[in-house]
Each structure stands twice: as C-alpha cells, then as structure tokens.
Amino acid sequence: MCNHAAIFRVANDAISVMTEPAYFFETLKDNIKSANRRIVLASLYLGTGPLEKELVELIYNSIQASKKANEPSGLQVEILLEYTRGSRGKVNSRTMLLPLLQEFSDSVRVSLYHSPELRGLIKRLLPERFNETVALTHLKVYLTDDTVIMSGANLSNDYFTNRQDRYIEIKNSPEVADFFHELVSSVSDISLQLHKDDTTHMLKDFAFHPSESNKTEFITKATERLKTLVHSCSGKKAIRFLGDKPGTWVVPLLQMYPYSIRQDEYVTSELLGSLPEDSKLLLASGYFNLTKKYIDLLLHSAASCHILTAHPTANGFYMAKGIAGGIPDAYTQIAREFFRRTLTHHHRITIWEYARQHWTFHVKGLWYYPPNHALPCLTLIGSPNFGYRSVYRDLEAQVAIVTEDKDLQARLHEEQKCFYARGCRVTYRTFEHAERRVPVWVYVVTKFIKKFL
C-alpha cells in the first residue's frame, strides 16, 4: 500500500462501525446539525422522499444558523452527484437542492459529474436510466468538519431504512477529512456546476465540457486536475507512525481508470495475490461480477475465501419493470459461472447469498484475517464492487483500514458476522431451483453487457 497511496494514522477510538441503515441516517443527521465549518457530500444521487427532504432542511438550517452567528468563514457546503442519475425525472436530485442554491449561493456548491464517454449519438439515443450504464461517479463520501463516514450507501430512502450497506465513521481526523474534501472538490472542478435556475455550466477555469468538447482534450485536462490531488498526497506516508500503542491506519484508495488513476485496483490485486496459507478473506459485493484478474487471483490463492452477494430477491433490481427486471437473473448467471470455476476449490472457496424479507443487499468490501487469527486486521470499505464497472468505468473511492487494536478488530469481526449470518451457502442445487433458471434472452444478453454491470 505504501507504494500506491497516502497513509494516515488515526486514533483507535476514532473509528465507529455501524451496521443499521437507520443508525447511519441518524448519525449523518447529527453530524450535519453539529457542523461548523464544512459539509461535503458525494453520492450517486439524492432521493426525493420525506427523509431526503429532512436531510436538505437540516443542511438549510445549519447554514442559516451559521450566518446568524456571524461566524468568520461560515459553514460551506459542497455536494457532488452524478449528472444522469441526479437529473432523472421532473422531480430529482437537482430540484431537491435548488432551495439551497437560491437562498445561500455564496455558501453552497452543487456539482454534477458527467462522463466524457456519454456523448454524441449515444447520449441522444439512450433514454433515462440506461444512459447511466455508460459510466458515472460512484463516490460515496459523507464529511462534516473533521469527521468522515465511508459507505457504499447513497442518499435515499432505501439506504436509510431497508437496504443493507456498510458504514464506518472516522471521527476527529482532520488529515483524512482534508484528503476527501480535496477529492470531492477535484472531481467537482471537472463537473457541471448547478445554478439556482437549474441550468448547468462548467467552471471558468476549466473550460472543457464533458460531452461537447473534444473527448481526448477533456480527458487530458481532467486527468491533470485529478492527478494533482494524487501527487500532492503522495508524500503523506508514515504520518505519526511512532508510538508504542497498537496503531490504526487509514489508506484512501482511488480508482478512476478513465483518468489513469488506479490505486484501488493495484492494492486490491496485490492483496488478493499475496494471501498466505491459513489466512482468510471475506469479500462482499451486492452486484457480484468480479473482473477476470480478481477471479484468477482468488483461484490461485492459498487462503480460504468466503464471498457474500445478494440473493435475487435481495437484488436492488428485483421485480423492476421492463428490461431491468432481468438484471437479478444476469447476476445469477454470473454467479453460476463463477461457482462452476470454484468446484475444484470448494474446500476453501465458498459463495453465500444474503436474503432478508423486504430488504435489499448493497454491502461491498472485504475483511482479511491473517493466518491463525480469529480477528481481522484489515478491511476495505467504500464504493467499489470489485467488478468491471468499478475497475474500468466509474469513479470509485474506498479506504483500507489496517489496525492492530483488538477492540476495533473485534468490532469489524462482529460487523461481517452480522451480514454473513443472513447468508445461505450456494451449492450446485441452488441453480436447479425453477426460480433460478435464467431466461434465454438474459443468458444471451449478459454475455454482451457483462462489462457494464
């Protein structure tokens, strides 16, 4: 990791592990209420229901209170969302945030990332929802003052109620918070800026439009802007490593393949490729579609590997209308193909499917247990699903948390147990059930769209 990313030491008790979406929502609200200097949020989108409106009202009230207090710098708010998903429908993420811009334009910045891949004929022909499959920002960062919540959850009702995800809060850690603030700001700089009349424009000092400017020129200039962040943090290694107490370190990992930033891919590959005998790896992905490289590394590993993914009924697209309704079947097909490849490794590689009535499964990340250890010393948490989209298409960020602290290790252990306890092991009989038979059209289409899932 030291060769690829910045490393920050944090206090052992700075890390809080949450397992319930309702608690995540309450913590996020409390953090917004108590924010004094900055609120920085990055998500795929912001929903439009009552809970999301409550979140916007809290931000509004916090800014208003800051202005009444006449604080020198005042509370500043930055929000980064995906252009396509955030613009879907007449009532959308953009319209939800307009009151903030209309009332506090000097304190609020809303940016909408637009992939340079979505342009021309493809942009004109692809309808809403399907245009999101091309490429997007998948970042999830929830930052207030010097506290950051890393998660795979978006800002919408399901993620606050009955869609299972992960949520780890890193409290009172200014260096980590500054890094992620710079990350969100850097991506915002190459994104469309939302104005109070619901129009969008690029920044004056970045006069390259993602879908209207020359594609190569946009990517070149955007890469320069984003790599400035990576280079500026390259020297932030071994910060405050000295001390006799067991330590905890946070390692931010970025994956922005279109802009030649591949930290997460490199670190994940090195981890999967160096698992020793008698070690254990637990890997979760709500949308299980590992890249060929990751699959090969797992198959050639000496470690025990236990994979947790969504049962079709816990897939976010279960019972969706139209073509999207076939997506759970597509993931069944992908899981079946992977399962067949693991048959000769069944003694050390297992697959589990999470099922919970009226809940969906969106957990992603991994836990690593060293040889003959009962507790994990490392976890990865953030937005990547370890699939083709995460590695090659979307903008992703997660953190590796490495700890020697037994209490934190125990809490991470309990976290994974909470998820795996609802898992059912996949066997060859799993795919023989009538409801698991993949329609012919899904089987055929999956081969063509696999790298977009």
Side-chain angles (χ1 to χ4, degrees):
M1 291 186 193
C2 294
N3 296 325
H4 300 294
I7 299 178
F8 305 99
R9 183 162 185 172
V10 301
N12 295 325
D13 60 1
I15 307 289
S16 294
V17 181
M18 298 173 267
T19 57
E20 291 296 326
Y23 189 70
F24 160 62
F25 183 51
E26 291 302 319
T27 302
L28 182 59
K29 290 195 298 180
D30 288 343
N31 289 355
I32 289 173
K33 289 176 188 176
S34 62
N36 294 314
R37 295 182 290 109
R38 57 184 173 183
I39 297 173
V40 181
L41 308 176
S43 185
L44 180 64
Y45 68 103
L46 172 72
T48 58
L51 297 183
E52 298 90 323
K53 289 177 182 176
E54 182 182 354
L55 211 59
V56 174
E57 287 174 6
L58 285 175
I59 297 172
Y60 186 101
N61 292 339
S62 293
I63 300 172
Q64 192 173 58
S66 175
K67 289 188 175 296
K68 286 181 178 178
N70 290 318
E71 296 173 354
S73 56
L75 179 63
Q76 296 296 309
V77 176
E78 292 186 37
I79 300 173
L80 170 66
L81 305 173
E82 162 62 28
Y83 178 88
T84 54
R85 183 63 181 86
S87 303
R88 188 201 294 178
K90 291 184 178 179
V91 179
N92 52 43
S93 304
R94 294 166 62 160
T95 58
M96 288 284 291
L97 295 170
L98 287 180
L100 296 180
L101 289 168
Q102 290 164 351
E103 186 68 26
F104 308 113
S105 59
D106 59 332
S107 302
V108 178
R109 179 189 188 188
V110 178
S111 304
L112 304 168
Y113 174 80
H114 187 300
S115 169
E117 299 297 330
L118 184 63
R119 55 175 51 235
L121 192 61
I122 293 177
K123 182 173 181 177
R124 289 195 292 271
L125 293 180
L126 282 180
E128 285 187 350
R129 193 168 191 171
F130 290 94
N131 58 8
E132 299 162 28
T133 63
V134 175
L136 44 75
T137 175
H138 201 234
L139 303 176
K140 291 90 160 67
V141 176
Y142 307 118
L143 186 161
T144 53
D145 290 342
D146 292 332
T147 292
V148 183
I149 297 177
M150 295 301 298
S151 178
N154 291 304
L155 296 175
S156 71
N157 179 80
D158 289 356
Y159 296 93
F160 302 148
T161 53
N162 63 345
R163 178 163 290 183
Q164 185 65 66
D165 216 303
R166 297 181 70 198
Y167 335 88
I168 289 186
E169 184 180 44
I170 307 168
K171 296 174 287 190
N172 303 317
S173 301
E175 293 165 332
V176 177
D178 287 348
F179 176 91
F180 280 102
H181 189 173
E182 288 182 48
L183 169 63
V184 174
S185 293
S186 296
V187 177
S188 296
D189 286 348
I190 65 167
S191 301
L192 291 157
Q193 307 301 302
L194 183 65
H195 298 287
K196 57 186 179 182
D197 60 355
D198 200 22
T199 60
T200 59
H201 299 90
M202 298 301 292
L203 289 175
K204 291 182 179 179
D205 69 341
F206 191 86
F208 307 95
H209 195 282
S211 65
E212 296 173 6
S213 299
N214 177 273
K215 178 181 172 181
T216 301
E217 189 174 31
F218 176 87
I219 291 176
T220 299
K221 296 300 182 182
T223 299
E224 292 175 0
R225 185 68 65 101
L226 294 172
K227 282 201 168 183
T228 298
L229 166 66
V230 175
H231 294 152
S232 69
C233 295
S234 61
K236 297 180 179 178
K237 304 181 190 300
I239 294 179
R240 299 201 304 272
F241 262 58
L242 300 177
D244 296 328
K245 293 183 179 180
T248 297
W249 298 270
V250 172
V251 187
L253 301 171
L254 309 182
Q255 184 68 16
M256 301 178 179
Y257 188 89
Y259 306 110
S260 302
I261 297 172
R262 303 169 67 179
Q263 293 174 325
D264 187 61
E265 176 191 356
Y266 294 148
V267 170
T268 302
S269 296
E270 288 182 4
L271 175 62
L272 298 182
S274 61
L275 299 172
E277 191 174 357
D278 296 325
S279 65
K280 183 170 70 173
L281 182 82
L282 278 65
L283 185 151
S285 175
Y287 299 112
F288 181 72
N289 183 24
L290 296 184
T291 64
K292 181 181 182 301
K293 183 177 182 180
Y294 290 168
I295 290 175
D296 289 342
L297 289 170
L298 285 177
L299 293 180
H300 290 91
S301 165
S304 297
C305 302
H306 306 291
I307 294 165
L308 182 63
T309 188
H311 185 275
T313 58
N315 185 290
F317 292 91
Y318 181 65
M319 300 296 287
K321 296 179 181 178
I323 295 174
I327 291 178
D329 290 321
Y331 282 107
T332 289
Q333 175 61 24
I334 292 169
R336 182 169 63 182
E337 291 174 355
F338 178 77
F339 174 75
R340 287 172 176 169
R341 295 194 63 184
T342 66
L343 287 177
T344 55
H345 306 273
H346 66 88
H347 60 289
R348 65 172 190 83
I349 299 180
T350 63
I351 307 172
W352 302 74
E353 291 183 333
Y354 178 100
R356 185 177 181 183
Q357 191 173 20
H358 306 307
W359 280 62
T360 52
F361 181 75
H362 203 250
V363 169
K364 50 189 72 71
L366 61 78
W367 300 258
Y368 169 67
Y369 293 68
N372 305 313
H373 279 63
L375 300 174
C377 67
L378 177 151
T379 190
L380 298 184
I381 176 172
S383 64
N385 272 296
F386 308 105
Y388 283 92
R389 288 201 64 95
S390 294
V391 175
Y392 299 114
R393 293 190 172 277
D394 298 338
L395 307 190
E396 307 275 12
Q398 65 178 339
V399 295
I401 298 176
V402 182
T403 184
E404 300 167 329
D405 182 67
K406 295 300 181 184
D407 177 68
L408 178 53
Q409 289 180 354
R411 285 183 280 133
L412 292 172
H413 177 69
E414 290 301 315
E415 179 199 27
Q416 65 83 5
K417 282 178 63 179
C418 174
F419 306 142
Y420 277 79
R422 296 186 180 274
C424 181
R425 183 170 178 176
V426 172
T427 69
Y428 69 93
R429 291 182 178 176
T430 300
F431 304 105
E432 293 180 348
H433 296 300
E435 68 271 13
R436 301 303 296 273
R437 292 173 185 167
V438 177
V440 175
W441 73 269
V442 174
Y443 176 83
V444 173
V445 171
T446 300
K447 293 187 178 297
F448 292 97
I449 67 169
K450 185 175 181 179
K451 293 185 178 180
F452 290 87
L453 293 173

